[in-house]
Amino acid sequence: MNGAESLLRSLVASGVEVCFGNPGTSEMHFVAALDEVPGMRPVLGLFEGVVTGAADGYGRMAGKPACTLLHLGPGLANGLANLHNARRASSPVVNIVGDHASSHSLYEAPLTSDIPGFARPVSHWIHASKSALTVGADAARAVQAARTGAGQIATLILPADTAWSSADGAAAPLPVPTPAHVDAATIERIAALAQSGARTAFLLRGNALQGEGLRAAGRIAAKTGARLLCDTFAPRIERGAGRVRVERLPYFAEQAVEFLAGTELLVLVGTQAPVSFFGYPDKPSWLTPQGCRIAVLAHPHEDGAAALVALADALGAGQVIAATNPRASFDAAPDGVLNGETIMRSVARHLPEHAIITEEASLAMGYSGLTEAAAPHDLLTLTGGAIGCMMPVSVGAGIACPERKVVNLQGDGSAMYTVQSLWTQARENIDVVTVIYANRGYRILANELKRVNARTDGAHAASMFDLENPTLDWVALAQGMGVEAVRVESAAAFDTAFAGAMKRHGPMLIEAVI
Amino acid sequence: MNGAESLLRSLVASGVEVCFGNPGTSEMHFVAALDEVPGMRPVLGLFEGVVTGAADGYGRMAGKPACTLLHLGPGLANGLANLHNARRASSPVVNIVGDHASSHSLYEAPLTSDIPGFARPVSHWIHASKSALTVGADAARAVQAARTGAGQIATLILPADTAWSSADGAAAPLPVPTPAHVDAATIERIAALAQSGARTAFLLRGNALQGEGLRAAGRIAAKTGARLLCDTFAPRIERGAGRVRVERLPYFAEQAVEFLAGTELLVLVGTQAPVSFFGYPDKPSWLTPQGCRIAVLAHPHEDGAAALVALADALGAGQVIAATNPRASFDAAPDGVLNGETIMRSVARHLPEHAIITEEASLAMGYSGLTEAAAPHDLLTLTGGAIGCMMPVSVGAGIACPERKVVNLQGDGSAMYTVQSLWTQARENIDVVTVIYANRGYRILANELKRVNARTDGAHAASMFDLENPTLDWVALAQGMGVEAVRVESAAAFDTAFAGAMKRHGPMLIEAVI
């Protein structure tokens, strides 16, 4: 057994089942080992942003890490933006980054670079293996690091000689770290505050937006009348008809300030106090009202769901959940102009049970309220603001949950960053329908230009936002990568196309011209 | 005048004429200033790897920096791989990276990241502006840093408030640093060595492969009988019929060792002693023969061309240049099977004078000898090994030299990394013909798997190299981004298509199925 096989067997023993990869020469022994070791599914991406974004999506839905396989510093570099998003999503990810053989590192070969330097801004844990005899144990430690807290980014650098030299065997898995438990004193303190009569809101993230945590939040809201809120960009939200209703913080600072006005007590569960996405010359960064008390029920590394259950019990909340979303009938097909609203009405109307919505379009965010009344589903959003995230997240989510439909609501500008995702969707026959909001531009930037009080009438500036010269042909792009596609230009045509897409299996793209 | 305008005016005053950009909200004031300040051409890329690769190509051909405009840490991260290549090419590049306003950096907003951390592995110079009053001077310093030595990467981080706050004016340009001069003692020492009777080779890079430097090398070769060599991957080589013949170091270590066998004196001009691209279990990393003396005529930061002229004079070399490439007639059109050789015969046959060849395909590298007999041209290659380089380099080279035809010889696997380049080629009507070597796979990796002595018969490993499931349709992909395209499957059809492409202006793609 060589080091590569030891590494791979150790990863599999630690519960890693999927490897999203874009390998090169320095990773050849790892690639060869894929045929020696059962239990690891290799998934090829044609660009590393696809690989890391897919690992993020997989981690969000599987609740455990996939590994990536990346080619030296530049391969890692191409995956950094989506690792930034994964870090903000608290997704567990194990990166395997090949490096030159130790003896070759003496020389300044073209691909030599500072791999730990590239890794540092996005990684919670970094280690470079020194010997084939230790890579197995290093892999077990990497998996444990990735599963610490809500989820972390662990980067293991694998010099080629540690892969090709002889190893002794695989490492046994390490214990999965249990999330930190919130102590009884904190529960008591928050319970007292929540009964103080202050106008209270709970801001939820992580496992507080799923399963038992979410139901406990619903019990607390029923008992205390508190509002339940979530961040604008949460990694994963269980929502839809019958689920506890959670209000989403608006994106723009001035709207968020209005939304939070009157709140006297803000209880944080697995998140931080809300701040605006960007700073502006004359707008606030800090969104909580002046004088509002901020209390922490659970820090992000703590078990927010368990804390909510304990708090609900401490409050003597019953099993009644006050605020669940009603199921709307959506009898009538949208008609007329195709726009953000009519698209979302069709999505809400036809969304199958337990679908996964991945969202990266400002117009999808703006109308996301409509799907609260759709069939129960998960919503995954752009946690780190690095665009080019949701096409690959859809890949990973689809691989983690092959029995669930993925609906990717994607802006045309952001879709281009990791457009290669479509090829992997076709290759792996992932059950994802991509809706391209084809407004032919970085629409949000044209809006932001006004919001920062900059001149807005210039041709040069306008040229940095428009995607009309030339117009992207999404049907051609999708078909060029083996994904069936259709272009629609009316609400009725979209409704028909989307309904059809929900009834078939496998990747499809709908270019919605708006 | 605000900081953004001060910055832009200072860049223009320092000779920066082109801004390759992919901006976001934090760069809005810079974008608005583009309409206030004449002299800066904005070029939009739909992915940051396009932006930085284009800046590399521009720098290689213009000999001065363009600036990039990137959106915070993740935007920079997406551009890092091609900045790694640019660094290895000694290309001058000025990165402008927007950041959150200083006041907003207090908060952990989603896009907050360690921007200097991302920049460090690829940047020679990094500075974060502190005030709108200093950004102009910071820009002048950044341009000077980028023009130091053969060319450097300078990264200027621009917090949004330093762009929107009031500034006093533009900064005057700083002196362009002159390259270090090789001293007379070194010239004398190398002259003595070169006349010692040892079997001598000169390994050239940088300006030693252009103009006066290259001619001086030819004079030296005529006088001494020395071989003239260049690195496998040089940033820019002036070559073709009538130009001094320079032998290109082979890619694979064992071939390079054979190529250098018998060399008793290796004189380095602007480069380092040759090492293999990767390390292998049983192959050498160091390629110079044992006992061969290595002497440095010019370090990479020194003026290699001037040193060669001085050396030629010191040797008493005449104006005769022994070894120029002959012009081949290429009378007959290639016929039969379309492959690396027949493609290159057609390229050599139809290449117009002063074309720029950009090369990122192992099959193009393997037959590059054929174009030595083509019309005089420049050859730009993949200096840093980070694939996804040459499609954007073609964008930048075409913008730097609008009167010259660009021929991009591109593998299908590597083309996918920055496929968005095609859109910018269409938008800017760049005169580039992209030839896709469509062998439906990472062919070089299947070969490397054997070379590292790994198992080669496994299905999982094979699945990491093949691009056949599904097959990429390059005609659809190009047309989807507004670039005219054609697919050819025979040598004769390629010859006809390529000949036609050389006679028209504007971007075109030829999918050569091999």
Side-chain angles (χ1 to χ4, degrees), chain A residues 78-462:
Chain A
N78 278 334
L80 288 174
N82 276 337
L83 288 173
H84 168 88
N85 288 324
R87 182 187 171 99
R88 294 280 179 198
S90 297
S91 293
V93 176
V94 173
N95 297 306
I96 309 293
V97 183
D99 193 7
H100 284 313
S102 311
S103 60
H104 196 63
S105 293
L106 302 172
Y107 308 106
E108 187 72 1
L111 274 164
T112 303
S113 70
D114 177 8
I115 301 180
F118 282 127
R120 205 163 288 125
V122 299
S123 303
H124 298 85
W125 184 96
I126 304 174
H127 181 74
S129 288
K130 297 295 181 290
S131 156
L133 298 174
T134 64
V135 290
D138 294 341
R141 291 193 299 127
V143 174
Q144 189 180 52
R147 303 192 74 162
T148 298
Q152 297 196 140
I153 312 298
T155 300
L156 179 61
I157 300 166
L158 185 70
D161 54 320
T162 66
W164 76 49
S165 302
S166 289
D168 286 334
L174 295 169
V176 177
T178 46
H181 214 71
V182 173
D183 61 20
T186 299
I187 303 290
E188 269 175 48
R189 188 166 52 80
I190 302 294
L193 285 171
Q195 293 173 110
S196 66
R199 279 195 286 183
T200 301
F202 284 75
L203 185 62
L204 312 175
R205 193 179 178 96
N207 67 1
L209 290 169
Q210 298 166 36
E212 277 308 312
L214 185 58
R215 279 188 293 276
R219 290 168 58 203
I220 293 166
K223 174 77 179 181
T224 65
R227 288 171 82 186
L228 300 179
L229 317 178
C230 68
D231 292 327
T232 315
F233 299 105
R236 181 178 170 189
I237 315 171
E238 287 184 2
R239 64 201 287 275
R243 295 257 175 81
V244 174
R245 181 151 183 272
V246 178
E247 302 170 75
R248 187 176 180 184
L249 205 67
Y251 175 75
F252 288 118
E254 56 273 34
Q255 294 166 357
V257 165
E258 194 179 323
F259 178 84
L260 291 171
T263 307
E264 294 167 342
L265 171 65
L266 182 67
V267 181
L268 304 177
V269 189
T271 189
Q272 61 177 25
V275 296
S276 68
F277 206 81
F278 291 106
Y280 298 91
D282 55 1
K283 295 181 176 70
S285 288
W286 185 256
L287 304 178
T288 309
Q290 248 192 331
C292 173
R293 173 159 189 177
I294 295 176
V296 177
L297 173 62
H299 291 284
H301 68 282
E302 294 174 324
D303 189 340
L308 285 167
V309 171
L311 180 64
D313 292 344
L315 288 167
Q319 292 305 314
V320 178
I321 295 165
T324 58
N325 290 306
R327 178 80 163 105
S329 61
F330 298 112
D331 281 338
D335 206 354
V337 177
L338 186 61
N339 56 31
E341 183 180 348
T342 51
I343 288 174
M344 199 62 82
R345 287 197 181 282
S346 289
V347 170
R349 188 164 183 249
H350 300 293
L351 196 73
E353 292 237 337
H354 305 303
I356 300 164
I357 298 180
T358 56
E359 175 203 275
E360 188 175 8
S362 43
L363 274 172
M365 178 174 69
Y367 292 98
S368 66
L370 289 170
T371 46
E372 286 182 348
H377 62 277
D378 283 77
L379 173 65
L380 315 186
T381 72
L382 180 58
T383 49
I387 68 177
C389 184
M390 285 300 152
M391 307 234 320
V393 160
S394 302
V395 168
I399 284 178
C401 305
E403 75 296 348
R404 299 174 67 173
K405 181 68 111 181
V406 181
V407 174
N408 177 29
L409 306 177
Q410 185 73 48
D412 53 357
S414 53
M416 281 303 288
Y417 288 72
T418 47
V419 66
Q420 306 90 341
S421 306
L422 293 169
W423 184 84
T424 302
Q425 291 174 6
R427 184 179 182 87
E428 302 291 334
N429 195 30
I430 293 168
D431 194 16
V432 53
V433 175
T434 302
V435 176
I436 297 286
Y437 287 67
N439 60 12
R440 320 296 199 203
Y442 295 122
R443 188 70 59 88
I444 195 165
L445 291 188
N447 190 9
E448 291 282 35
L449 194 66
K450 293 178 207 148
R451 286 172 40 84
V452 300
N453 304 335
R455 173 179 167 175
T456 58
D457 61 341
H460 275 140

Side-chain angles (χ1 to χ4, degrees), chain B residues 268-279:
Chain B
L268 304 178
V269 189
T271 189
Q272 62 177 25
V275 295
S276 68
F277 206 81
F278 291 104

